[in-house]
Amino acid sequence: MAQEDSMAVPEFLSKAELLKQGAEARVYRAHFLGKPTIVKERFPKRYRHPALDEKLTHRRTVQEVRSVLRCRKAGIPAPVVYFVDYTSHCIFMEEIIGSSTVRDHIMSARQSDSCKELELERLAERMGHILAKMHDEDVIHGDLTTSNMLLRCSLENGESDLVLIDFGLSYISALPEDKGVDLYVLEKAFLSTHPNTEALFEKLLKSYTAASKKSSAVIKKLDEVRLRGRKRSMVG
Amino acid sequence: MTIVIGFEGSANKIGIGIIRDGDVLSNPRRTYITPPGFMPSDTARHHRAVILTVLKEALEQAGLKPADIDCVAYTKGPGMGAPLVTVALVARTVAQLWGKPLLGVNHCIGHIEMGRLITKANNPTVLYVSGGNTQVIAYSERRYRIFGETIDIAVGNCLDRFARVIKISNDPSPGYNIEQMAKKGTQYVELPYTVKGMDVSFSGILSYIEEVSHKMLSSGQCAAEDLCFSLQETVFSMLVEITERAMAHCGSQEVLIVGGVGCNLRLQEMMGVMCKERGAKLFATDERFCIDNGAMIAQAGWEMFRSGQVTELEDSWITQRYRTDEVEVTWRD
């Protein structure tokens, strides 16, 4: 019986459309319970010791699901989770139809004419706002990049919805240090992917500071972490 | 034909090497080993005592006279202050004595350029891991950009300090002895694993293992070999993970490991498995070039000199902190 059950998900995936293979997981598109679904499959990493690999893969699957649920409960847009298979480490979740990544959005906006600046500033403010809400829920994303934020076009009012995805490295923490590092990870990813956007990121942080009730301690920690790279002893 | 001599002494290794158009003519080195760890002023004293001997060796082994040298390269930084000053002083002096131009080289870039020369890797994602540094670097638009790094201590530092905890020898290096003991480890002990985006953190795992190793060893729960094994498996997995993420981000199909920790065969093996699964190629060097040496400074100096760079005497200071991405890579497109 167990043998049959454990074959069900891989069999399902063999008929699904492989969207991409990242460093950690394969992402498929399929239909599940009549809904357009994304299946995220964390596959074994053979370079790791098997005990470490199993622990890590399981933990990341659990953490991803837990954080997504916690965000949704707090009204922060994240995909709906339909089903989780802990044997194959697959998460079946809502496909965000008609969406593009914030990364692609910023890139195309910057490639076109400069009238998009106000739009980008508005986007940065919304990003700061949503991250403040997430941190106030004590959810640390762990891998904030502009590829992990989606803009979903809402048909009703034309304004797009900002949706957070990819919570694989996330965990729950109230520590300003962890939130500061979370923002630091985003800052590094943001500035290396979108060169010369320091002013835009500042807008994001300003919006974050205004929206979060616990922001001053977090920003202080962010400043400390930024300095660490420069103050570290580099012997050897 | 361009012949460059390179002086390296930013940590406990003092090395002087000579490169002629991609050929390593000589590369002698001395290592200052002292338990429990090396202090700046003692290290500088060690370097002062041997540097002229090593310089003689470098010239003799290469079969060259000072007049044959085209440029004198030295480590500008990063590293320990006193040893850096010692070496820079000698470099400045010989440059003036011989009437040759000076070049201040970034230590990390020395590692990268030596790795590229020896392995002929084209445009790899570089994992630079040593006692003082842990960075994932990729070349882009005239800079060696840091994609991921440690947010606290270097992986080599973590390993060295753990070696002190379980009191293993520093000869030839603590990392080497941990590697040998790890080979005999059989039991995997769970340790904290910390990857934050493209960055890693080692101070948590170090403080954890410092705390529990005493208990575990005295209760007989596991042997020191098991702890060495488990520590390596964990920290190396973290390094392979952030390297893979950088590769996925940059679309790179090559990995180059440089720095003293790069000598570790288990790390090379794990990186090899990851590369194989992605269809990527792994490049690594042996202890002659992984570990700090003079030739790597000469090689980076050779590149810089040929692209028209020179360091004036008044700019030939040293600095303990010198980010890899601060240097303009004028020798690459």
Side-chain angles (χ1 to χ4, degrees), chain B residues 6-65:
Chain B
F7 289 72
E8 157 57 34
S10 59
N12 66 332
K13 279 77 75 183
I14 167 89
I16 300 174
I18 301 179
I19 294 234
R20 177 185 60 207
D21 296 335
D23 285 322
V24 181
L25 301 183
S26 63
N27 200 12
R29 172 177 68 207
R30 298 284 192 282
T31 307
Y32 178 50
I33 300 169
T34 177
F38 52 95
M39 295 292 127
S41 50
D42 298 329
T43 309
R45 196 171 304 133
H46 166 270
H47 291 355
R48 279 202 294 277
V50 301
I51 189 169
L52 296 179
T53 311
V54 180
L55 175 56
K56 261 188 84 183
E57 268 172 33
L59 287 166
E60 275 168 16
Q61 284 169 21
L64 296 174
K65 295 182 303 299

Side-chain angles (χ1 to χ4, degrees), chain A residues 25-187:
Chain A
R26 283 186 275 265
V27 178
Y28 299 83
R29 179 191 276 146
H31 268 263
F32 182 72
L33 301 176
K35 299 186 207 285
T37 303
I38 292 287
V39 183
K40 184 167 175 179
E41 177 201 19
R42 283 193 162 76
F43 50 85
K45 304 300 286 179
R46 271 175 263 274
Y47 65 82
R48 290 187 195 136
H49 186 279
L52 173 60
D53 189 50
E54 176 57 42
K55 271 250 147 60
L56 221 50
T57 308
H58 181 82
R59 191 174 86 191
R60 286 178 178 179
T61 307
V62 167
Q63 275 174 180
E64 177 155 21
V65 174
R66 201 173 277 167
S67 299
V68 163
L69 286 172
R70 196 164 164 131
C71 279
R72 287 193 56 81
K73 269 200 197 152
I76 300 162
V80 178
V81 175
Y82 296 142
F83 171 64
V84 187
D85 179 23
Y86 290 103
T87 317
S88 59
H89 305 115
C90 285
I91 304 175
F92 287 59
M93 60 187 134
E94 172 195 5
E95 180 180 2
I96 314 285
I97 304 280
S99 65
S100 60
T101 62
V102 167
R103 175 182 183 267
D104 291 341
H105 192 89
I106 296 180
M107 284 191 156
S108 60
R110 294 180 82 210
Q111 265 159 23
S112 67
D113 34 36
S114 55
C115 317
K116 302 272 183 173
E117 236 177 271
L118 231 61
E119 196 191 303
L120 284 181
E121 284 183 7
R122 178 81 195 107
L123 177 60
E125 280 167 15
R126 288 169 62 203
M127 286 165 72
H129 188 93
I130 200 177
L131 292 175
K133 266 184 104 174
M134 184 186 76
H135 280 175
D136 281 353
E137 275 304 305
D138 291 341
V139 173
I140 311 298
H141 186 282
D143 192 13
L144 287 170
T145 69
T146 50
S147 307
N148 288 340
M149 296 181 198
L150 300 181
L151 278 166
R152 164 174 53 194
C153 277
S154 162
L155 297 163
E156 295 123 36
N157 52 11
E159 236 224 3
S160 43
D161 226 354
L162 201 56
V163 183
L164 298 176
I165 58 168
D166 246 319
F167 284 81
L169 292 182
S170 65
Y171 57 100
I172 308 296
S173 167
L175 295 176
E177 159 93 19
D178 292 333
K179 296 173 186 175
V181 171
D182 214 20
L183 292 176
Y184 178 68
V185 168
L186 176 60
E187 182 177 52

